Amino acid sequence: AEYTEIFQITDTAFFEEGEDDVLFKVNASLDITDDAMVYGTISEGYRRGGSNAVPLSGPFAEDPGWLQYDSDSAINYELGIKGTTGRMRYSAAAFLVDWDNVQLNTASSNWAFFTAANGDSARTSGLEFELDGLLADGWHYNVGYAWVDAELTSDAFAPTAATRLLAADGATLPGTSEHTLNGALDYTTELRNGLTWMTRLNAYFQSETENALGDFGRARRLRR
């Protein structure tokens, strides 16, 4: 069951919204050896809708269609393996996420305000790897890498005009970097009186991301 009511007085809007649904998750695993396991997961995700803080009057007045965005949902498929070998633990996984009515970061009609809007559909797929283990007594390391391909799978239009294209099918989703790499190295030693001293070095890299959807987002790329 779903309902939405909008109450507007001059340039102020109030929203009441409710939804009722059931989310599911299915998970299975299999030990292929004493030290390795494969697993698979299918699960459903959900994000509630919300509102955008855009003015309805004054020199930067926006169309009321930008005031609200709806909930979205996703189905996630994941297949992976985990295990140990010697002094090392490892994991690898492949995943696919299908989005419906996907919430997107974009900009309002006159590009003056960051807003959220709903697109029709999107897809995120990728691979993840992680290694964790001991190099020698007291020395521990961790390395992780992820590759992600996140894009629209249909054209996205503005909520105020079905003819205003926000981004075309195949456009990169905002906030998602294609490559992410992280690593850590630490050394632990025992001191007197039962105290422990740890020295740790961390490193992190990610490729560029889109700040928002479409041409507005491409003009404002973020790099970390």
Side-chain angles (χ1 to χ4, degrees), residues 85-122:
T85 175
R87 306 176 75 176
M88 180 184 70
R89 294 189 299 268
Y90 63 87
S91 65
F95 62 87
L96 172 67
V97 183
D98 278 326
W99 296 89
D100 182 44
N101 205 35
V102 58
Q103 295 176 8
L104 301 167
N105 291 332
T106 183
S108 57
S109 299
N110 56 24
W111 306 113
F113 304 97
F114 282 106
T115 56
N118 293 98
D120 185 21
S121 61

Side-chain angles (χ1 to χ4, degrees), residues 100-222:
D100 182 44
N101 205 35
V102 58
Q103 295 176 8
L104 301 167
N105 291 332
T106 183
S108 57
S109 299
N110 56 24
W111 306 113
F113 304 97
F114 282 106
T115 56
N118 293 98
D120 185 21
S121 61
R123 178 173 295 170
T124 302
S125 58
L127 301 170
E128 296 179 330
F129 304 94
E130 184 177 19
L131 298 176
D132 185 280
L134 298 174
L135 292 174
D137 290 343
W139 289 96
H140 167 261
Y141 69 92
N142 179 270
V143 179
Y145 170 76
W147 170 80
V148 179
D149 180 27
E151 62 182 21
L152 292 177
T153 53
S154 62
D155 294 342
F157 295 92
T160 58
T163 58
R164 182 198 164 192
L165 185 67
L166 293 176
D169 182 0
T172 301
L173 294 182
T176 303
S177 57
E178 184 177 7
H179 302 282
T180 303
L181 178 66
N182 64 274
L185 179 66
D186 60 72
Y187 177 73
T188 303
T189 184
E190 297 293 333
L191 303 178
R192 295 179 180 178
N193 301 322
L195 298 178
T196 300
W197 178 274
M198 174 183 285
T199 304
R200 184 177 179 90
L201 175 67
N202 294 285
Y204 175 83
F205 166 82
Q206 73 172 42
S207 56
E208 65 183 13
T209 64
E210 301 286 355
N211 192 34
L213 192 69
D215 291 336
F216 184 79
R218 285 192 288 273
R220 291 161 172 79
R221 289 181 174 175
L222 295 180

